[in-house]
Amino acid sequence: MVLATVCAVVYGTADFFGGLATRRSRVLAVVVLSQMVGLVLVIALLPFLPGTLTTGTLAWGMASGVAGTAGLVLFYRALATGVMSVVAPLTATASAILPVLFGLATGERPEPVALGGVVLALLAVLLVSRGSSPAATAGRSYGPILISLAAGAGFGGFFILLSQAPEDGGIWPLLGARLASVTLIALLALITRRSLRPGSGALRIIIAAGALDMIANMLFVLAQQRGLLSLVAVLVSLYPASTLLLARYVLGERLNTVQVVGIGFTLAAVALIAAG
């Protein structure tokens, strides 16, 4: 479960950079450019990582890419219009619930201790989703919240579909996922005639977000090949803890007592799931 935990940290850092980028550039520009960075990275690493290319591998990857693209566009939209320390945990909660339900429905039976960690993890992301201040909580609209939940459903679908790819596929499914996502977003930008030019000072942030996101995807593939989807997805869903801490120390967003407790629950959940 170490891979899944590291994956959560990297995802949270990638989302932090993505959120910063959306405040300086259009959402579509951030998504397209970051996805292209991820595509270049996965192509560069394919020769060095084991894996077998099959039609099924690419098909599952492309299907997951469609779901992930929908989730990513909605997520970046929510980050651009809402409070980062609220959007990320809500998205994570929704993205964790779907794989857990899918895993249990398809026969996965985690140990009781690990299931206790799952419950604690879901509680943790709910706690850290509390507004960073009373004023922020009172003033937020339901628009970003609903968008965050829809984004989480897209990410949950991404995890489920990606887990269905053959285990001997290595990271080849991620190539299919990136090809699908880059194509869809580029077409969307073309149809809507949106500029893909990054804002001033945003390009390096976008590159960092795209590279970290792909690294996190690779870690997820490796983790779910070695563990139960219902546990791996929950551990990965704890990524808002790192997003939250970065938002606190880089952007100065304040943490309330409930959020601090939630971060503590996050650490406890990781320990329980690892013990199980």
Side-chain angles (χ1 to χ4, degrees), residues 114-201:
L115 281 176
V118 169
V119 174
L120 193 59
L122 295 176
L123 177 60
V125 292
L126 286 173
L127 290 177
V128 296
S129 70
R130 294 289 298 271
S132 55
S133 68
T137 304
R140 71 191 184 199
S141 67
Y142 286 104
I145 294 176
L146 295 176
I147 296 174
S148 299
L149 294 174
F155 289 147
F158 171 80
F159 292 142
I160 292 172
L161 293 168
L162 198 58
S163 71
Q164 300 307 295
E167 290 188 5
D168 62 354
I171 65 170
W172 279 104
L174 294 177
L175 176 63
R178 274 299 179 267
L179 288 173
S181 62
V182 169
T183 301
L184 287 174
I185 298 299
L187 286 174
L188 180 60
L190 182 63
I191 293 173
T192 58
R193 298 182 179 180
R194 299 289 181 87
S195 172
L196 298 181
R197 184 175 181 178
S200 177

Side-chain angles (χ1 to χ4, degrees), residues 237-262:
S237 74
L238 297 174
Y239 70 84
S242 56
T243 305
L244 192 63
L245 291 173
L246 285 170
R248 167 65 182 90
Y249 290 106
V250 177
L251 301 181
E253 292 187 4
R254 298 177 60 186
L255 304 182
N256 58 36
T257 303
V258 175
Q259 288 175 314
V260 173
V261 172

